[in-house]
């Protein structure tokens, strides 16, 4: 029995293979300061969150619920930050969840402009090293 999840994973594997061929990424291209900066930000968030914390979610659609209207991504992320989230989760899976890498970039712009330690999480079906490098 084929489920939408099986179909989704097959589509994603084909998409990632194609991207990896068209846009190769090498570790030497990454900024050597990037990982220490990420670790510092995570420690700052940990200090702020003595208890539990809220995570805001950006998702445009779901296979079960269809289209989800959230309006402007930058505005939504701004509301999340004002509301005190410790992280914003952005779904970047295109075909089934209406996501896009640009949504991640828009969220990053808002988070960076606020000057608060908010973690940005990319939600997708990630199963290769290439995808991890691409998300950086």
């Amino acid at each position: 029995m084929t489920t939408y999840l099986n179909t989704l994973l097959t589509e994603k594997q084909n998409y990632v293979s194609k991207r990896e061929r068209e846009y190769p990424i090498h570790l030497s291209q990454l900024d050597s300061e990037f990982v220490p900066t990420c670790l510092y930000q995570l420690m700052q968030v940990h200090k702020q969150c003595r208890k539990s914390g809220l995570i805001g979610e950006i998702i445009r659609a779901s296979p079960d619920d269809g289209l989800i209207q959230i309006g402007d991504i930058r505005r939504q992320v701004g509301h999340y930050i004002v509301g005190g989230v410790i992280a914003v989760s952005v779904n970047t899976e295109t075909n089934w969840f209406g996501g896009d890498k640009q949504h991640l970039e828009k969220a990053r712009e808002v988070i960076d402009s606020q000057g608060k330690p908010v973690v940005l999480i990319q939600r997708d079906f990630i199963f290769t090293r290439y995808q991890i490098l691409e998300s950086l």
Side-chain angles (χ1 to χ4, degrees):
M1 179 171 119
T2 301
T3 66
Y4 75 84
L5 187 56
N6 293 21
T7 304
L8 186 153
L9 289 174
T10 300
E11 289 174 0
K12 192 68 177 182
Q13 288 170 332
N14 292 336
Y15 170 79
V16 171
S17 294
K18 181 180 177 189
R19 287 219 26 110
E20 194 168 7
R21 285 190 306 276
E22 293 176 356
Y23 307 100
I25 299 173
H26 303 283
L27 283 174
S28 61
Q29 294 173 275
L30 300 178
D31 183 352
S32 63
E33 292 297 313
F34 181 78
V35 172
T37 301
C38 288
L39 291 174
Y40 173 77
Q41 288 175 343
L42 286 172
M43 289 186 325
Q44 293 303 312
V45 168
H46 178 70
K47 285 180 186 176
Q48 281 190 330
C49 302
R50 305 262 182 233
K51 300 179 183 177
S52 63
L54 296 174
I55 297 176
E57 182 176 34
I58 302 294
I59 184 170
R60 294 283 189 173
S62 81
D64 295 328
D65 299 325
L67 187 63
I68 301 168
Q69 294 290 340
I70 65 162
D72 180 66
I73 289 171
R74 288 182 181 97
R75 185 173 177 199
Q76 186 66 40
V77 171
H79 288 312
Y80 285 153
I81 293 170
V82 168
V85 298
I86 61 161
V88 175
S89 171
V90 179
N91 193 302
T92 58
E93 197 290 317
T94 306
N95 296 330
W96 295 79
F97 292 90
D100 192 301
K101 297 263 191 255
Q102 289 182 351
H103 299 166
L104 199 63
E105 293 167 13
K106 290 176 183 179
R108 169 56 58 209
E109 289 171 9
V110 175
I111 290 169
D112 287 348
S113 72
Q114 297 293 317
K116 296 182 180 179
V118 175
V119 174
L120 181 60
I121 303 167
Q122 177 182 355
R123 286 190 49 213
D124 207 324
F125 293 88
I126 297 183
F127 47 87
T128 70
R129 182 178 181 170
Y130 176 80
Q131 289 174 281
I132 294 169
L133 294 175
E134 186 181 44
S135 73
L136 303 174

